[in-house]
Amino acid sequence: ETGVTQSPTHLIKTRGQQVTLRCSSQSGHNTVSWYQQALGQGPQFIFQYYREEENGRGNFPPRFSGLQFPNYSSELNVNALELDDSALYLCASTHRAGYGYTFGSGTRLTVV
Amino acid sequence: ELKVEQNPLFLSMQEGKNYTIYCNYSTTSDRLYWYRQDPGKSLESLFVLLSNGAVKQEGRLMASLDTKARLSTLHITAAVHDLSATYFCAVVSSGAGSYQLTFGKGTKLSVIP
């Protein structure tokens, strides 16, 4: 058991819709980051949250947004879904930025 | 921009053989991770390497780090079928208080009985 849980595990959405993915971090882990993994590729950094503030973003457009809550849970929101958004979305939490990443089991998003 | 390159991307090897996966990265970093991923699953942490010359071993896997050459290796000794998976290296980079992992494309390992 990783200590980081993600929901839902699978999701099918239509192009143009909006989606919210959820992540519950390990207790005490105040930093959470989200990654997108397209099929056959390595994960790519979307953004990082620390103490409920976004403090780093990868090369993703603003329609990818997030929230982090005081109870260490977080959300990834994607608006105006595109077919290329189909991927495995992973969240990772750490208690100390840059060290000891714990990844969740991921959410498989399919956009049709 | 940090780039991480792994090779080979695909590796088919017989049980009992040895092989090495290479991970090169383009800018200075003091932390490098190796992960294993089974099909449809999340990432399992194998090793974290924190300093030049670091070597870590777990079972049939051994990882090393040369920060001067910006190179890490994952050596597989006497491969068994259970090691079949995709292996990723990931390098930590930082900026403006944020830390991110930059991953290689992965090495898909198939161990043939």
Side-chain angles (χ1 to χ4, degrees):
Chain A
E1 184 175 343
T2 65
V4 177
T5 56
Q6 291 186 243
S7 63
T9 53
H10 297 86
L11 201 52
I12 300 175
K13 288 286 191 178
T14 303
R15 189 171 50 183
Q17 285 188 315
Q18 178 266 342
V19 69
T20 298
L21 310 182
R22 293 180 172 82
C23 172
S24 178
S25 303
Q26 282 189 232
S27 178
H29 283 200
N30 56 19
T31 303
V32 66
S33 46
W34 286 87
Y35 290 81
Q36 180 196 66
Q37 186 179 20
L39 199 61
Q41 301 294 317
Q44 287 196 299
F45 175 71
I46 303 175
F47 45 55
Q48 177 181 288
Y49 276 78
Y50 172 69
R51 293 185 176 178
E52 304 168 47
E53 297 281 339
E54 181 184 305
N55 70 340
R57 172 176 280 264
N59 190 24
F60 282 81
R63 61 189 185 84
F64 285 79
S65 64
L67 287 171
Q68 186 186 28
F69 302 100
N71 65 353
Y72 307 115
S73 66
S74 64
E75 291 180 352
L76 164 65
N77 299 290
V78 188
N79 293 321
L81 284 166
E82 301 176 359
L83 297 179
D84 284 350
D85 296 334
S86 296
L88 179 68
Y89 288 85
L90 298 163
C91 74
S93 72
T94 91
H95 71 283
R96 180 183 173 193
Y99 292 89
Y101 294 86
T102 301
F103 280 86
S105 54
T107 294
R108 172 75 61 187
L109 172 66
T110 302
V111 182
V112 297
Chain B
E1 179 187 346
L2 173 61
K3 295 188 187 303
V4 179
E5 292 187 358
Q6 282 182 243
N7 70 83
L9 297 182
F10 298 93
L11 178 55
S12 181
M13 57 191 297
Q14 286 187 314
E15 279 191 332
K17 299 293 187 182
N18 304 332
Y19 209 83
T20 301
I21 299 170
Y22 297 88
C23 174
N24 289 91
Y25 53 99
S26 61
T27 62
T28 301
S29 176
D30 60 358
R31 270 160 283 165
L32 186 143
Y33 292 81
W34 283 97
Y35 291 93
R36 167 181 171 145
Q37 188 175 43
D38 291 296
K41 303 295 185 182
S42 187
L43 297 169
E44 175 190 352
S45 179
L46 296 174
F47 302 108
V48 54
L49 303 168
L50 300 176
S51 61
N52 188 43
V55 177
K56 290 197 174 179
Q57 183 163 5
E58 181 72 34
R60 301 176 187 273
L61 300 177
M62 182 173 71
S64 66
L65 178 63
D66 181 343
T67 57
K68 294 179 182 177
R70 297 176 189 157
L71 170 69
S72 179
T73 61
L74 180 66
H75 186 74
I76 303 156
T77 301
V80 293
H81 180 68
D82 285 351
L83 290 179
S84 297
T86 300
Y87 293 85
F88 292 96
C89 64
V91 178
V92 175
S93 58
S94 62
S98 161
Y99 293 83
Q100 68 181 68
L101 291 170
T102 301
F103 286 81
K105 291 187 175 181
T107 298
K108 186 172 182 179
L109 171 65
S110 298
V111 181
I112 303 165

